[in-house]
Amino acid sequence: MRDFLPEDVRRRQYVIGVIADVYQKYGFEPLETPAVENIETLLGKYGDEGDKLIFKILKRGEGEQTGQADLALRYDLTVPLARVVAEHRGQLPKFFKRYQIQPVWRADRPQKGRFREFYQCDVDSIGSRSMLVEAELLASAADVLKRLGFNDFRIVINHRQLLMAILRDSEVPVERYSEAIVLMDKMDKLGRDGVRAEFEEKGFDAAVSNRILNRLGAEYRTDWLDWIERDLTLLGEDGRKGIDELREILRLSESTSAGSHLRIEPSLARGLSYYTGSIFEIRVADLAGSLGGGGRYDKLVGMFSKQDVPACGISLGLERILVVMGERNMFPESVVSTPADVMVVQWFANRTNMYLAFATELREAGLRVELYPESPIEDGKKVGDKQFKHAAARGIPFVAVIGGDELAHDTVAIKNMKTGEQKSVARADVVKWLNS
Amino acid sequence: MRDFLPEDVRRRQYVIGVIADVYQKYGFEPLETPAVENIETLLGKYGDEGDKLIFKILKRGEGEQTGQADLALRYDLTVPLARVVAEHRGQLPKFFKRYQIQPVWRADRPQKGRFREFYQCDVDSIGSRSMLVEAELLASAADVLKRLGFNDFRIVINHRQLLMAILRDSEVPVERYSEAIVLMDKMDKLGRDGVRAEFEEKGFDAAVSNRILNRLGAEYRTDWLDWIERDLTLLGEDGRKGIDELREILRLSESTSAGSHLRIEPSLARGLSYYTGSIFEIRVADLAGSLGGGGRYDKLVGMFSKQDVPACGISLGLERILVVMGERNMFPESVVSTPADVMVVQWFANRTNMYLAFATELREAGLRVELYPESPIEDGKKVGDKQFKHAAARGIPFVAVIGGDELAHDTVAIKNMKTGEQKSVARADVVKWLNS
């Protein structure tokens, strides 16, 4: 886990600001949940691998001796959202559209763009089964990436129910569906032969894995939907729904910024166990792993209440976006801003009150002002130069000096730290001069 | 720990925005640290009571069986700052001024304005022993409160070294100083007699506790500094320093917004064990406990490195500020904003693409747009009314309809949800019309 020094925080705040602004344009409202959830809320939602990565908190009092954990750090923002929807249903509109930008924690081995504490930027629509939900979620994510300067991202989509139909038709035993899904999802990393080897290693019948691999077809083959529709012996209700919904998402996305980035990826499966329909992932070539992902999870809210509520969402990974933006130098110059517009020097040791009053004057006029904190006299000697060095080191563009001359004429000497130029400005005009 | 629904989040963001903006005016830079720290970083910094309230995280793997904790949730933002300063000293300017607005966790019993997860809004100056640091910290906190609409707050200050001199001169045994400090700090809650009873209960000599209580004088007696200076038999170096520094803070604050709110409070002691000099607390009459507090801690950084670094800070409690602002109705109307500027109705079931394209058009022009997610046909019947009800329930001020007439004439019917008025606007003029 990492500390973020001022320049890091400014970059993070810039990206978060763009994300929140775009999400708001789509009518999403902000939600925040606590970092800590009851441990039962989290366990059993993410699959076995996920459960192992949850940070668990010791019960207070006696629990500290017995080692019992009753709380845990949230692992994602989707399960807490489902809990909130179940708990506060009466206070929320029928169609609840929320965004949430908060940290989550996973006891994972860190790698490029992956940390044990990281921010997810989630946007979810609750209450509707319409594929317009999917289309708007993908459009908002695409808008975010375009606003940040990305043009080369790919959004790959697929459908869990179509995957189920393929597994069934390929004669995978029902009890091994989730295992097979995890293997299919590795196509992106391991390639066709790698996945075939893993299927073999896990003891799947060669005929079965061949049938599956044939059906996952070439990547991004746009006619794959037509082909799989014909190829499956028994399409089934789930296969039908998967194909129809994917076609509808593609059709609706024609009018949005996501459209030209969108591809079907037959092997996309997503690891988390709570997805029930469409699934998506956003990728760029220079990052292993994805910039974001999501999907539909119509059964998750029902795990916290008696009633299922349809839901779909997408999550952008802040750290991964920052890593790629950093490597590609994508931050606008204005983001790396200075800590202050001007620094006020303490010229006379016994006039701190006057300098403080001057700084207050500038602050009240809206300027960000650093006042050098210490006296210019040390062991009886003037140390004025130190102050200019401090301003330079902090990247403050102007330094304001009120010395003897300036006091006498009610002026301020202002030094431009970039050019070295110095100018005498009437005290009443300083704000106007600095703002110009 | 609580969920924050959209209206709560907007209020929180408003207050956080004001705080960050004011802190920036004083040249403070943003810092963020991880929620989770190594457990040794936190233990032994807050006193025995504090240590008990730290949430501890189970070690992964084998640790889960043995109940061993290696990490903990941060308890405040000051100790993490001291760790950061010790760790990143080379990357930070000599005078490092940072603000940090993040949650902290304490396994405390919840009460009014006090929660187990809560946000601290901290501002700290590292590297200078000058009392100008204190003056600017108090001024920034006062500016925040004034910008939020508070006028009746009191800032009480005192000095740990002066308290030490009083304890010594009152003949408290050295090993009982910290115990006596905790008791003195209760004057605000228990009153003089209550504190006297506690001193007795803990077995302090009556003559000793009498001497202490006499010296704590009446609250807010402005001439207390002069009086205590004369009254102490042996002022000592620490007492001298305490009195001089308090006088300097009062003098410098004359030129700031904190000045008129500032009082010396002889019994103010603050619970945390890391303070070494000036201490402060901000109070309003209608809240038990404080809106914020802080002080100087010149020895804390030294606990993480070989070198002491002077440091001073103040922390505002976001939740307490929100509680009082809520009770006093202090939020500007603009804060409780609607989730969207306009909702686009789906009039024809088979034209979703057209409505989505229209919504995209408005969003690109900067408007926040809700598009009703579902088809207006359910079981073969029009359900147009539901859409207007949804807009009303979410407080969206305008609804835009493109029906048959509008399609024919390239117009949009816009309904004002407050007045019920409906107007036909040329499609090309909708953005201008909604923005006016």
Side-chain angles (χ1 to χ4, degrees):
Chain A
M1 311 201 198
R2 298 160 304 151
D3 298 314
F4 299 114
L5 301 186
E7 205 169 301
D8 302 318
V9 178
R10 287 192 193 100
R11 289 174 171 202
R12 297 171 69 81
Q13 284 174 346
Y14 162 72
V15 174
I16 286 174
V18 167
I19 293 174
D21 188 60
V22 171
Y23 286 169
Q24 283 168 22
K25 291 246 182 328
Y26 283 80
F28 291 94
E29 300 189 78
L31 178 81
E32 291 182 4
T33 64
V36 170
E37 295 275 350
N38 285 325
I39 199 162
E40 307 86 52
T41 302
L42 303 189
L43 289 177
K45 308 299 185 302
Y46 305 105
D48 292 344
E49 280 308 302
D51 277 1
K52 279 184 207 144
L53 302 182
I54 293 173
F55 281 105
K56 304 176 181 73
I57 296 174
L58 269 181
K59 209 167 163 177
R60 273 68 51 211
E62 284 175 23
E64 292 205 7
Q65 269 71 55
T66 62
Q68 205 191 333
D70 57 344
L71 303 171
L73 290 179
R74 74 177 154 231
Y75 178 90
D76 72 355
L77 303 177
T78 309
V79 169
L81 171 64
R83 178 191 56 70
V84 165
V85 171
E87 234 175 272
H88 303 273
R89 197 79 186 102
Q91 285 167 266
L92 302 174
K94 188 190 166 203
F95 301 118
F96 178 47
K97 296 166 67 173
R98 85 90 176 78
Y99 70 90
Q100 185 171 356
I101 301 173
Q102 289 195 290
V104 303
W105 294 266
R106 297 183 188 175
D108 219 341
R109 219 170 284 273
Q111 48 177 280
K112 183 181 170 190
R114 179 177 288 182
F115 306 94
R116 300 208 295 174
E117 172 177 274
F118 59 98
Y119 268 65
Q120 290 194 325
C121 311
D122 278 32
V123 64
D124 291 77
S125 265
I126 306 291
S128 172
R129 289 193 163 78
S130 164
M131 287 305 108
L132 180 56
V133 164
E134 269 84 346
E136 289 213 305
L137 289 169
L138 295 173
S140 68
D143 276 3
V144 164
L145 292 175
K146 284 184 173 174
R147 275 268 304 271
L148 291 173
F150 286 93
N151 289 304
D152 59 337
F153 58 94
R154 291 177 298 136
I155 308 179
V156 292
I157 62 170
N158 203 1
H159 201 288
R160 272 283 173 91
Q161 288 184 267
L162 178 54
L163 286 176
M164 293 301 164
I166 292 174
L167 292 177
R168 190 184 53 240
D169 205 65
S170 304
E171 292 172 38
V172 172
V174 178
E175 68 278 10
R176 304 197 73 179
Y177 277 14
S178 39
E179 215 181 324
I181 283 214
V182 170
L183 294 182
M184 285 158 72
D185 203 41
K186 295 187 176 174
M187 190 79 91
D188 192 43
K189 269 190 223 153
L190 305 181
R192 181 168 298 270
D193 293 337
V195 171
R196 191 189 306 275
E198 291 237 340
F199 267 113
E200 202 182 315
E201 197 185 311
K202 298 272 179 193
F204 281 84
D205 194 274
V208 168
S209 66
N210 271 335
R211 275 194 293 271
I212 297 177
L213 285 166
N214 284 339
R215 277 154 171 178
L216 297 190
E219 289 179 54
Y220 316 121
R221 215 165 73 178
T222 50
D223 57 355
W224 180 74
L225 280 182
D226 301 335
W227 178 82
I228 196 79
E229 192 174 11
R230 289 190 307 268
D231 189 61
L232 288 181
T233 313
L234 185 71
L235 189 57
E237 208 179 310
D238 45 5
R240 174 82 272 144
K241 197 173 173 209
I243 289 174
D244 288 350
E245 292 194 348
L246 285 173
R247 282 199 181 120
E248 177 76 354
I249 295 170
L250 290 174
R251 194 182 66 83
L252 289 172
S253 297
E254 281 165 21
S255 8
T256 77
S257 55
S260 62
H261 298 268
L262 209 54
R263 301 280 183 282
I264 306 257
E265 175 152 307
S267 66
L268 178 71
R270 303 278 300 158
L272 295 175
S273 56
Y274 52 60
Y275 293 119
T276 58
S278 62
I279 43 180
F280 0 101
E281 223 165 87
I282 304 176
R283 300 182 185 151
V284 286
D286 41 346
L287 188 80
S290 62
L291 287 183
R296 182 167 278 278
Y297 49 97
D298 287 348
K299 301 284 179 190
L300 189 57
V301 175
M303 293 176 80
F304 297 104
S305 67
K306 280 172 194 153
Q307 210 192 342
D308 279 339
V309 178
C312 187
I314 194 161
S315 175
L316 292 173
L318 178 65
E319 278 74 12
R320 294 179 176 196
I321 291 174
L322 286 164
V323 162
V324 179
M325 288 183 71
E327 286 180 350
R328 295 187 185 178
N329 266 318
M330 286 167 67
F331 293 100
E333 221 176 287
S334 60
V335 172
V336 191
S337 81
T338 65
D341 304 311
V342 60
M343 189 186 91
V344 174
V345 157
Q346 292 209 54
W347 191 261
F348 297 112
N350 57 352
R351 295 247 187 194
T352 305
N353 260 33
M354 189 263 287
Y355 295 118
L356 183 52
F358 177 54
T360 302
E361 213 173 290
L362 301 183
R363 284 167 184 154
E364 279 168 2
L367 290 168
R368 297 174 307 139
V369 183
E370 168 93 333
L371 172 53
Y372 191 79
E374 304 213 318
S375 162
I377 305 288
E378 251 173 45
D379 306 323
K381 275 178 65 186
K382 270 241 176 201
V383 290
D385 218 34
K386 244 189 183 175
Q387 304 195 35
F388 287 92
K389 276 185 193 150
H390 175 67
R394 295 197 77 198
I396 301 173
F398 293 100
V399 169
V401 182
I402 303 180
D405 263 17
E406 289 78 17
L407 263 185
H409 301 98
D410 205 21
T411 57
V412 178
I414 298 182
K415 184 173 180 175
N416 181 325
M417 294 298 286
K418 255 194 198 149
T419 64
E421 242 178 312
Q422 192 158 316
K423 214 184 138 65
S424 177
V425 178
R427 181 153 165 177
D429 296 337
V430 170
V431 171
K432 213 172 59 186
W433 194 90
L434 284 171
N435 275 329
S436 70
Chain B
M1 311 204 198
R2 299 159 303 151
D3 296 315
F4 299 113
L5 301 187
E7 205 169 302
D8 302 318
V9 178
R10 287 192 193 100
R11 288 175 173 204
R12 298 170 70 81
Q13 284 175 345
Y14 163 71
V15 173
I16 287 174
V18 167
I19 293 174
D21 187 61
V22 171
Y23 286 168
Q24 283 169 21
K25 290 244 183 328
Y26 283 80
F28 291 95
E29 300 190 80
L31 178 81
E32 292 182 3
T33 65
V36 170
E37 295 275 352
N38 286 325
I39 200 163
E40 308 84 52
T41 301
L42 304 188
L43 290 177
K45 308 299 185 303
Y46 304 106
D48 293 345
E49 280 306 303
D51 278 0
K52 280 185 207 145
L53 302 182
I54 292 172
F55 281 105
K56 301 177 183 73
I57 295 174
L58 269 180
K59 210 166 161 175
R60 274 68 53 211
E62 284 174 23
E64 293 206 6
Q65 270 71 56
T66 63
Q68 204 190 334
D70 57 345
L71 303 171
L73 290 178
R74 74 177 154 231
Y75 178 91
D76 72 354
L77 303 177
T78 310
V79 169
L81 171 65
R83 179 191 54 71
V84 165
V85 170
E87 235 175 270
H88 303 272
R89 197 79 186 103
Q91 285 168 267
L92 302 174
K94 189 192 163 197
F95 301 118
F96 178 47
K97 296 166 67 174
R98 86 89 176 79
Y99 71 90
Q100 186 171 355
I101 301 174
Q102 289 194 289
V104 303
W105 293 267
R106 296 183 187 176
D108 219 342
R109 218 170 284 272
Q111 49 176 282
K112 182 180 169 190
R114 179 177 288 182
F115 306 94
R116 302 207 294 173
E117 171 179 273
F118 59 99
Y119 269 64
Q120 291 195 323
C121 311
D122 278 32
V123 65
D124 292 75
S125 266
I126 307 292
S128 172
R129 290 195 162 77
S130 163
M131 287 303 109
L132 180 56
V133 164
E134 270 83 347
E136 289 213 305
L137 290 169
L138 296 173
S140 67
D143 276 3
V144 164
L145 293 174
K146 285 184 172 172
R147 275 268 303 271
L148 292 173
F150 286 92
N151 289 305
D152 59 337
F153 60 92
R154 290 176 298 134
I155 307 178
V156 292
I157 62 171
N158 203 3
H159 202 288
R160 271 284 172 91
Q161 289 184 266
L162 177 54
L163 286 176
M164 293 301 164
I166 292 174
L167 292 176
R168 190 185 55 241
D169 205 65
S170 304
E171 292 171 38
V172 173
V174 178
E175 68 278 11
R176 302 198 72 180
Y177 277 14
S178 38
E179 214 181 326
I181 282 216
V182 171
L183 294 182
M184 285 158 72
D185 202 43
K186 295 188 176 173
M187 189 79 94
D188 192 45
K189 269 190 219 152
L190 305 180
R192 180 168 300 270
D193 293 338
V195 172
R196 190 188 308 275
E198 292 236 341
F199 267 113
E200 203 183 314
E201 198 184 311
K202 300 273 178 191
F204 280 84
D205 193 274
V208 168
S209 68
N210 270 334
R211 275 194 293 270
I212 296 176
L213 286 165
N214 284 339
R215 278 155 169 178
L216 298 190
E219 288 180 54
Y220 317 121
R221 215 164 72 178
T222 50
D223 58 354
W224 180 75
L225 280 182
D226 300 335
W227 178 82
I228 196 77
E229 190 173 14
R230 289 190 306 270
D231 189 62
L232 289 181
T233 313
L234 185 71
L235 190 57
E237 209 180 308
D238 46 5
R240 175 81 269 144
K241 197 174 172 207
I243 289 173
D244 288 349
E245 293 194 346
L246 285 172
R247 282 199 181 120
E248 178 76 356
I249 295 171
L250 289 174
R251 194 181 66 81
L252 289 172
S253 297
E254 281 166 20
S255 6
T256 78
S257 55
S260 61
H261 299 268
L262 210 54
R263 302 279 182 284
I264 306 259
E265 176 152 308
S267 67
L268 178 72
R270 303 278 298 159
L272 296 175
S273 56
Y274 51 61
Y275 293 119
T276 57
S278 62
I279 42 180
F280 359 100
E281 222 166 88
I282 304 177
R283 300 182 186 154
V284 286
D286 41 346
L287 187 81
S290 62
L291 287 183
R296 182 167 278 278
Y297 49 98
D298 287 348
K299 301 284 179 190
L300 189 57
V301 175
M303 294 176 79
F304 297 103
S305 67
K306 279 171 194 154
Q307 209 192 342
D308 279 339
V309 178
C312 186
I314 194 162
S315 174
L316 293 172
L318 178 64
E319 279 73 12
R320 294 178 176 197
I321 289 175
L322 285 164
V323 162
V324 179
M325 288 183 70
E327 286 180 352
R328 295 186 185 178
N329 265 319
M330 285 167 68
F331 293 100
E333 221 175 288
S334 60
V335 172
V336 192
S337 83
T338 65
D341 302 313
V342 60
M343 189 186 90
V344 173
V345 158
Q346 292 209 52
W347 190 262
F348 297 111
N350 56 354
R351 295 246 187 193
T352 305
N353 261 32
M354 188 262 288
Y355 295 118
L356 183 52
F358 177 55
T360 303
E361 211 174 292
L362 302 183
R363 285 167 183 154
E364 278 169 2
L367 290 168
R368 297 175 308 139
V369 182
E370 169 92 334
L371 171 55
Y372 191 80
E374 304 214 317
S375 163
I377 305 289
E378 251 172 44
D379 307 322
K381 275 178 63 185
K382 270 243 174 198
V383 290
D385 218 33
K386 244 189 184 174
Q387 304 195 37
F388 287 91
K389 276 185 192 151
H390 175 66
R394 296 196 77 198
I396 300 173
F398 293 100
V399 170
V401 182
I402 303 180
D405 263 17
E406 288 78 17
L407 263 186
H409 300 98
D410 205 21
T411 58
V412 178
I414 297 182
K415 184 172 182 176
N416 181 325
M417 294 298 287
K418 255 192 196 148
T419 64
E421 242 178 313
Q422 193 158 316
K423 212 181 141 61
S424 177
V425 179
R427 183 154 162 177
D429 296 338
V430 169
V431 171
K432 212 171 60 186
W433 194 90
L434 284 171
N435 275 328
S436 71

